[in-house]
Amino acid sequence: MATSPLKINRRSANITEGKSRAPNRSMYYAMGYEETDFVKPMVGVANGHSTITPCNSGLQKLADAAVAGIEEAGGNAQIFGTPTISDGMSMGTEGMKYSLVSREVISDCIETCVGGQWMDGVLVVGGCDKNMPGGMMGILRANVPAIYVYGGTILPGTFKGKDLNIVSVFEAVGENAAGKLSDADLREIEMRAVPGTGSCGGMYTANTMSSAFEALGMSLPFSSTMANPHGEIEAAAKHAAKVLIEAIKKDLKPRDIVTKKAIENAVAVIMATGGSTNAVLHFLAITHAAQVDWTIDDFERMRKRVPVICDLKPSGKYLAVDLHKAGGIPQVMKVLLKAGLIHGDCMTITGKTVAENLADIPDTPSADQDVIRAFDKPMYTEGHLAILKGNLSPEGAVAKITGLKNPVITGPARVFDDEQSALKAILDNQIQPGDVMVLRYLGPKGGPGMPEMLAPTSALIGAGLGQSVGLITDGRFSGATWGMVVGHVAPEAAAGGTIALIHEGDSVTIDARQLLLQLNVPDAEIEKRRAVWKAPAPRYTRGVLSKFAHNASTASKGAVLDLF
């Protein structure tokens, strides 16, 4: 199709006007551009490759494939980098505080490069957890035609005939501390759990977000569950680049795709697949970037409508590679579409609607697998990500309530103002069945950065306390977490939330049936404590953590930095 250069190439329009033409073009000639390049679309490739983490160490081949696809389709590829922080490697350390911060840095990088270089489109390649929402937030802020290319999941490790993943190591630490696992076996699990490149293998945060982006219409069908070591993923990246060029020609922008109905589709898939609690925080931030009307209560609305139909870790049996073999996200979406639980008329980056993309997908899952259940035989009849409220969380808190024998506990509070002392108490056998652990001053401002509590929660599982001990925090959880745990408590302790007023031994109730999170202390006593409470001094007064603590919104608003 013939397209005016001024419509297809914003940069060309900018640099060929007036006296600015010669010096601006000179910069491009220095990189090997020719006269004919200035009528081609300038397409950014936001490359998250790094050797920091296995989640991202396999991304360069995808970026290279995308560049080839852009050039074959008649575009100019402009590569720039985005950083990453490995949640799995920083877990339990001071470095974990930088994880959520990196979401904002990544989104800022993409918005800055796309806007500063006046790009016509952008393809984002990411792997680790915060690459996903950070990339999508940057895409939505820039709002030029865009596509997300996921780096792919990891393959499972094995030991003694059992599949392993990164969570196996954290839980093995708890088993070892409880005397249930030898030092030698712990070492073997540690060495074998992560066999190569790709993001953590269950329906943890990275795979949750990639699946949601496919459902959102911003990634290609089937691409969200591919394994990084498998060759099909490079072909998919190259094809994604060519699809993006067509979207640029059609001027199909992210905010044309990411509507409220598309968000409902994404959240429906998150519920159906048993996805990460982090999806709540990240989609609050994504909808803020997209300027879509969405609140924390919308997740509860969706939870009541959508059953869990996939048997996936952390609370189920299977990994993302198994989901891919069973039909992937298109099969999940087709089941939901036939049940009337997603919107088939939503536009996608392919230029087709959701229903058109799913036209050739079977109405029901294959009978020779049990990863994806038939709609009338779900794992759970309602979704798993519940929003709990009460005097401890008037703005809401997030709990993953499936897989629990009894989703109600009332017990004495065991109060910790940091993660490390809480973990030590578990490993030293100081936590007893019936206790409710309170980990606080770990929210967006208090952490700062809202670190994940995978080490304590996995230690509880390993010690056999996952069903009998409650844990609440104003921090976050890994997508790999399960158990009687409630996170994202808002308002957070550092902002004077009621969680800051809990005393050791106070009675606390977690009731997933009534969606209640309650401090069982008289209101007058709570107000008396509130009157004498003083905010702690900031843990950081300079640099990126200080800036995040100063600007971060409450978790119930996505912990975004530009909600002024």
Side-chain angles (χ1 to χ4, degrees), residues 399-419:
K400 187 183 288 186
I401 62 174
T402 52
L404 298 173
K405 294 176 182 176
N406 181 16
V408 180
I409 185 171
T410 294
R414 302 298 308 281
V415 181
F416 304 90
D417 289 348
D418 61 81
E419 178 186 3

Side-chain angles (χ1 to χ4, degrees), residues 156-228:
T158 59
F159 180 59
K160 292 185 175 180
K162 182 180 179 181
D163 281 352
L164 301 175
N165 61 85
I166 187 62
V167 181
S168 305
V169 183
F170 286 91
E171 293 184 357
V173 170
E175 292 178 33
N176 178 259
K180 300 177 181 179
L181 186 74
S182 70
D183 291 347
D185 280 0
L186 173 59
R187 182 174 183 275
E188 289 296 321
I189 291 171
E190 180 184 30
M191 293 178 64
R192 297 168 184 263
V194 183
T197 56
S199 297
C200 297
M203 193 47 68
Y204 309 147
T205 302
N207 286 326
T208 296
M209 297 305 294
S210 70
S211 299
F213 289 177
E214 183 177 326
L216 194 63
M218 290 299 296
S219 295
L220 295 184
F222 296 103
S223 66
S224 66
T225 51
M226 292 178 179
N228 181 266

